[in-house]
Amino acid sequence: MSYELIEVSTQEAVGIIRLDRPKAYNALCNALVAELGQALDVFEADEAIGAIVLTGGEKVFAAGADIGEMLDREHADLFLDDFPYVKSHGWERLNNCRKPTIAAVSGFALGGGCEMAMACDIILASDTAKFGQPEVKIGTMPGAGGTQRLVRAIGKAKAMELCLTGRMMDAEEAEQAGLVCRVVPVDALMEEALTMAATIASHSRPVVMQIREAVEQAFETGLQAGLLFERRAFQATFNLADRKEGMSAFAEKRKPVFRHR
């Protein structure tokens, strides 16, 4: 497929999506989010792809939603469209992607950009990354997960502060708070993200998907329900040829050859 606002490529078993709207600081418009959904559809359907990296530019991951698209809109219009971005498919596609997604964030990830990064399974940040939900400064509030995922990632007190003041959080603070998994030098960001994605993609695809779903359950359910979900998912792996191959390879002291079945 051809895209105008994103760049799409692959590296072996890793799908790569780069936000590519530099003149607008990668501001998220309906067209960009729709293209993102299309690219995710392609990667989800491609059995050769085991993980997906979402990134932006070196100075800006995404500076937020496109204010020009929202400036003259009214409540009824937004409500009927279920904005932000639900009708464009891409946002929900990212939320519900079954293959692991890694946000490789360099520079500013603000407003919708921060929310897009948080919709991914893992955030890997460069040492120049800055995160924030500054919507309060323009008379509105986060609308695509900023008040929900941020609380789950860094706790109520810090999330409340960031959303109510609009303050930005640098990469070091974001790592300490638990928003990002690691911070790496800016010139090593993509190499590290691709290495992580390739490692994930090298494992059994159905097992990786089950692990991802089980971790998500920790955010959606209570502990006992989550433990039951995990136990049943673990038991289900014993139906997989990959589980038998993995354990046999371990016992035979060799590298497993997974067939993703």
Side-chain angles (χ1 to χ4, degrees):
M1 296 182 66
S2 61
Y3 303 95
E4 294 183 2
L5 301 175
I6 62 175
E7 293 180 354
V8 176
S9 59
T10 61
Q11 183 170 305
E12 297 181 349
V14 178
I16 305 164
I17 302 172
R18 184 182 297 275
L19 307 180
D20 187 31
R21 204 183 174 209
K23 291 183 179 179
Y25 304 102
N26 287 344
L28 305 177
C29 60
N30 280 314
L32 183 151
V33 176
E35 288 189 2
L36 173 64
Q38 292 167 2
L40 289 169
D41 280 343
V42 172
F43 284 147
E44 282 271 67
D46 188 344
E47 292 189 0
I49 297 299
I52 301 165
V53 173
L54 175 63
T55 192
E58 185 173 306
K59 294 183 178 179
V60 180
F61 174 76
D66 190 326
I67 303 301
E69 279 196 345
M70 298 187 292
L71 188 61
D72 296 321
R73 301 189 73 176
E74 302 290 340
H75 172 259
D77 180 30
L78 298 182
F79 180 76
L80 292 172
D81 274 354
D82 214 4
F83 187 84
Y85 311 120
V86 171
K87 279 197 172 181
S88 65
H89 171 66
W91 201 270
E92 288 304 305
R93 195 70 187 85
L94 182 60
N95 289 338
N96 299 320
C97 188
R98 298 187 71 201
K99 293 181 179 178
T101 53
I102 300 169
V105 176
S106 185
F108 295 102
L110 304 177
C114 185
E115 291 168 319
M116 179 171 281
M118 290 191 293
C120 295
D121 297 314
I122 300 170
I123 303 177
L124 180 68
S126 82
D127 51 14
T128 67
K130 294 184 182 296
F131 301 87
Q133 299 292 160
E135 291 89 345
V136 68
K137 293 183 177 182
I138 58 170
T140 186
M141 62 176 286
T147 66
Q148 303 302 303
R149 286 194 170 94
L150 197 60
V151 173
R152 288 164 168 78
I154 67 176
K156 176 184 174 182
K158 190 173 285 289
M160 191 74 82
E161 180 211 359
L162 293 178
C163 290
L164 291 178
T165 67
R167 180 177 73 84
M168 288 188 292
M169 178 168 58
D170 65 20
E172 181 180 2
E173 183 181 357
E175 182 183 28
Q176 291 173 350
L179 180 64
V180 308
C181 68
R182 279 190 291 126
V183 177
V184 300
V186 63
D187 57 359
L189 177 65
M190 281 306 293
E191 180 181 356
E192 290 291 330
L194 292 171
T195 297
M196 182 189 300
T199 299
I200 293 170
S202 72
H203 301 313
S204 168
R205 304 278 159 76
V207 171
V208 164
M209 289 180 179
Q210 295 229 48
I211 291 171
R212 181 194 167 280
E213 289 182 2
V215 173
E216 286 289 337
Q217 284 296 310
F219 290 93
E220 303 293 338
T221 66
L223 178 59
Q224 292 305 312
L227 289 171
L228 177 60
F229 183 96
E230 177 190 71
R231 189 160 62 251
R232 295 293 182 255
F234 161 76
Q235 292 163 355
T237 65
F238 279 70
N239 285 323
L240 296 171
D242 282 346
R243 190 278 313 169
K244 186 174 183 179
E245 165 63 11
M247 291 187 174
S248 296
F250 179 84
E252 296 164 10
K253 295 181 171 54
R254 60 175 176 82
K255 187 176 180 179
V257 179
F258 294 125
R259 296 190 293 113
H260 310 299
R261 294 290 185 272

